[in-house]
Amino acid sequence: MFAQIQPTKRPHFPPPQHISPEFPFLRRPPLLRYHRSRPSFRALRVFNCLKATTGGKSTSSGEEIVTNEEGEVRRAYPFHEIEPKWQRYWEENKTFRTPDEIDTSKPKFYVLDMFPYPSGAGLHVGHPLGYTATDILARLRRMQGFNVLHPMGWDAFGLPAEQYAIQTGTHPKITTIKNIDRFRAQLKLLGFSYDWDREISTTEPDYYKWTQWIFLQLLKRGLAYQAEVPVNWCPALGTVLANEEVVDGVSERGGHPVIRKPMRQWMLKITEYADRLLEDLDDLDWPESVKEMQRNWIGRSEGAELQFNVVDTDGLERDIKITVYTTRPDTLFGATYLVLAPEHVLLSSIVSDVQRKDVEEYKELSSRKSDLERTELQKEKTGVFTGSYARNPANGLEIPIWVADYVLGSYGTGAIMAVPAHDSRDHEFALKYNIPFRGVVTPENGSFSYFEKAYSGEGIMINSSSPTSGLDINGLPSKDAASRVIEWLEKTGNGMKKVNYKLRDWLFARQRYWGEPIPVIFLDDTGECIPISEAELPLTLPELADFTPTGTGEPPLTKALSWVKTVDSTLGRSAQRETNTMPQWAGSCWYYLRFMDPRNSKALVDKEKEKYWSPVDVYVGGAEHAVLHLLYARFWHKVLYDVGVVSTKEPFKCVINQGIILGEVQYTAFRDSDGNLVSADSVDEMSNFSQESVLEEKACHLEIVMKSGEYFVMKDNSDIRLIARAHKMSKSRGNVVNPDDVVLQYGADSLRLYEMFMGPFRDSKTWSTSGIDGVHRFLARVWRLIVGSPSLDGKFKDGTIDLDGEPTVEQLRCLHRCINKVTEEIEGTRFNTAISAMMEFTNAAYKWDKLPRSVAEAFVLLLSPYAPHMAEELWSRLGHSSSLAYESFPKVNPDYLKESTVVLPVQINGKTRGTIQVEKTCTEEDAFKLASLDSKVSKYLDGKTIKKRIFVPGKILNIILDAQSVKVVQR
């Protein structure tokens, strides 16, 4: 890509004073490269040689820095002046403000980043990846004449801020404001074109007033209710955690033990919308993987719900029935035991006295496991016999009842009929505890050994007949048998057809302080739950000096006695406020609507504004939010659609998941007990070897490591293979890169450009600080192409080079090829290849004798979505007095995309000896002259007589020689 750039020979310079001796590899400044074909660069080459006498230095970033005698820093281009200048301009002029009243006859484009949580750590370089992409799209659409809505705000309630507040004794509001200020400053430093007048935070009463209003609408429609349910209780954090917040039995944040505990909770009936949430996925422009994850999470299945009667020790039926759900009613005859979840409500009334102690101990152990742990297929199944039996309604056989934690109380009925011959989990459990098998389905193409493994497929029914029950499905295909069993269940009153979902109602309460208050009260005399009136909203959080968890399960808000005690506003009855708060998910479920109308005090969003801006056209964020956030937001949106607040059935038209930026590659070497290096492929027992990490910079700059085939090896001993691995950026790994540092050394435009150039937007990629040099040099070349080279003191002139003159046809072809490529690639979010197209244009432009103004201006506009600071400065230097943000984006002229040249094969006596590039209209004489000048062809013509030439325009030139002649005859 930089093939035309030649390295200059330069003397050695001492390292900057701030470079630590521990990192000697940073002392080696990289080569500056200059194009030698342009006269204007000769001064630079002279200047480069003078650096030894003027104090040449290099930053740790790799940027060549030179200081003159006055100590002024010379840079590749003055980004340190340009970027603050234009950021001030945009802010003072509100360049990117979307007015409240807009011309609705114009097309709209609503592009949104997933709501960030403003942590104290600030941004790392992984965060701007998605933000840069949405900014490029927003800038493109503005220049294409769209009304653009591109806002930013903060999902600022929640557990992280409260935990930090508890640890430091600082009120979470104070730390939240501080964190927001830091995030905002970092985002502005990167030049994102957000409409900051629309900034919102979930912690502001003017915002959460409407979160509370939505809750009241859910309550009115019966979609919010209270229930005592088993929850993930974390004593150390003092709150209930969602399943996704528990990993391997401990809290994801802090690693504290979590137990299962029944508690009174608010629930949202998302299950009421399960079918709509499934059906409407089909029409969305989302990644198929995300849609499939949502389908699996909802988990719709069709089957049967049936009842098993519990029997006593004498075989007599008790007045207890266990209801189970199954997707395979055809296998009813194969059910040889039942399993109840440890939290099943009937368990205590079923368990025998002999087994009670064992069952209670098992329940206690199970309460410490998350649902994910309990259902992992690779985990060994555990359980305890209850001492009781039930009767299989199909054949009248008594079968044992077990308790096992691979069955969840939250799925189905919390009980299953176990068919070990036809279910792998049941098969594993039955083998472990010596429970009988009964095969009832056989493959159509032969027999099957049910004791070796379960057969879970469909087939022909066997062993499935009983004269006692009157049910006979022997010989039927599985599907027909399932329908026959359901008919029999409904006829005999033993069950019914049932549609079931894995999706559970949304647990909507946290025993924490830092969250939205739930707008209900409980009457003291009756305990009745009463919603507060909408006129009383927002119900604000009370100021608490002590917001630490109570440790008992009671929320911290119980400490705000004067706030908790209240009266019913309608009849003046004494009451208590709800002291649970909403989960962090609440505020992030609908924020995209508030951005449309953020200052409306009378409605959540104005109907006309919502109708114009909905739905969000492009929504960009991490794949980790593929299920829960997107599912919850879709649920609330559909409720608001039913209420009449929104006009669309879905909130987000297109969802794009950006890839993850991993930390720099770390190389791991192994040493034996004697300290000798050992190749990684020979390390069997890791405990016998010590590990030694080598950072990427040290490995690359000191040339310790090299690539050998698919592996990395020590350069001085290629037999020593290393492990090369990049990890997700985290403070615990120490591989976080602060974007502020990158901007300081390279500029925001370089950071933006590099993150887009690293690879396909949706793929994960590895950060490399040294890799940013390439795009930084590219931007410097663009700057010199238009502004010219610096003087000997390193300063650039104020204007541009001479840009007079009309463009040639070839220059226009080169420009319009670039316009076409850049436009197509941005539209397709293939940002890296758009940058490649601009680099190719720049390479071509450096070969021209003259750069015409019209071509320069068009290229600056192409560059502006990616490098807006530099583009604005160049646009200004090109003579324009206003921002380019709303200039028309260049449009391609198809006429210039047509190829005017062809590659013409040249034959000598019928054998191809070379090729030449000619115009399509090239004559035979011109083709022959070009062939005669080609080194590969001319050596065959030297001293030979040409008998004739055969020329087919655009196809071939065949030169027939007279072998006896020694003279070239011209005709």
Side-chain angles (χ1 to χ4, degrees), residues 386-619:
T386 66
S388 298
Y389 293 81
R391 195 179 308 282
N392 186 326
N395 53 25
L397 297 178
E398 293 181 13
I399 58 177
I401 304 172
W402 286 71
V403 56
D405 62 12
Y406 75 87
V407 176
L408 301 178
S410 59
Y411 179 67
T413 65
I416 66 164
M417 66 175 206
V419 186
H422 303 290
D423 181 276
S424 58
R425 295 183 309 164
D426 299 342
H427 188 276
E428 179 186 341
F429 191 88
L431 281 178
K432 181 175 180 178
Y433 293 106
N434 297 315
I435 302 173
F437 287 60
R438 183 183 177 93
V440 293
V441 183
T442 185
E444 294 186 20
N445 58 355
S447 60
F448 191 85
S449 175
Y450 303 106
F451 294 98
E452 293 181 7
K453 63 179 180 177
Y455 175 68
S456 58
E458 297 182 348
I460 303 300
M461 304 309 302
I462 60 173
N463 301 324
S464 298
S465 174
S466 172
T468 304
S469 66
L471 179 61
D472 182 1
I473 54 175
N474 274 333
L476 292 178
S478 299
K479 289 185 178 179
D480 295 342
S483 299
R484 182 75 62 84
V485 170
I486 291 172
E487 291 176 10
W488 176 82
L489 289 171
E490 293 176 340
K491 182 179 179 181
T492 60
N494 286 310
M496 66 182 74
K497 186 175 182 179
K498 181 78 173 179
V499 175
N500 198 36
Y501 301 88
K502 289 182 181 178
L503 181 66
R504 299 293 91 195
D505 281 344
W506 178 5
L507 182 65
F508 196 75
R510 293 290 185 270
Q511 292 68 46
R512 298 302 290 230
Y513 167 69
W514 195 236
E516 298 93 335
I518 296 175
V520 299
I521 60 175
F522 299 92
L523 299 178
D524 286 341
D525 54 355
T526 65
E528 181 184 358
C529 178
I530 304 292
I532 69 173
S533 70
E534 294 178 10
E536 295 178 70
L537 300 178
L539 173 60
T540 57
L541 271 178
E543 290 292 332
L544 274 185
D546 179 14
F547 38 78
T548 57
T550 62
T552 64
E554 289 293 319
L557 282 178
T558 56
K559 302 173 186 179
L561 299 179
S562 60
W563 181 85
V564 172
K565 292 181 179 181
T566 186
V567 294
D568 173 15
S569 60
T570 56
L571 298 175
R573 294 170 292 182
S574 64
Q576 306 279 319
R577 295 195 189 279
E578 171 63 79
T579 53
N580 285 310
T581 53
M582 298 185 196
Q584 186 177 344
W585 300 104
S588 62
C589 275
W590 69 279
Y591 71 102
Y592 59 94
L593 293 172
R594 193 61 177 172
F595 277 137
M596 301 174 187
D597 193 14
R599 306 294 170 243
N600 193 331
S601 61
K602 297 180 180 179
L604 184 152
V605 61
D606 177 79
K607 286 185 179 292
E608 291 303 314
K609 291 178 180 178
E610 183 280 327
K611 189 174 181 180
Y612 177 75
W613 286 114
S614 286
V616 175
D617 294 283
V618 176
Y619 192 31

Side-chain angles (χ1 to χ4, degrees), residues 94 294 346 379 551 607 722 743 769 799 806 810 861 881 954:
K94 296 187 181 296
Q294 292 214 1
L346 293 178
K379 288 288 184 71
K607 286 185 179 292
L722 306 176
V743 171
T769 301
E806 293 298 315
E810 186 53 41
L861 294 175
S881 59

Side-chain angles (χ1 to χ4, degrees), residues 157-219:
F157 270 133
L159 198 57
E162 189 162 358
Q163 279 303 106
Y164 181 78
I166 291 169
Q167 292 166 6
T168 62
T170 309
H171 196 283
K173 183 176 182 179
I174 296 173
T175 57
T176 297
I177 292 173
K178 180 180 177 182
N179 294 344
I180 287 174
D181 289 344
R182 173 163 168 72
F183 262 61
R184 187 192 303 111
Q186 286 185 295
L187 292 176
K188 287 185 176 181
L189 189 68
L190 294 170
F192 297 132
S193 61
Y194 294 124
D195 177 1
W196 287 107
D197 284 359
R198 292 176 182 258
E199 180 183 2
I200 57 178
S201 169
T202 56
T203 62
E204 295 300 322
D206 288 347
Y207 179 84
Y208 69 71
K209 165 185 177 178
W210 298 105
T211 309
Q212 293 171 335
W213 183 87
I214 295 172
F215 179 85
L216 293 180
Q217 309 317 304
L218 292 162
L219 195 61

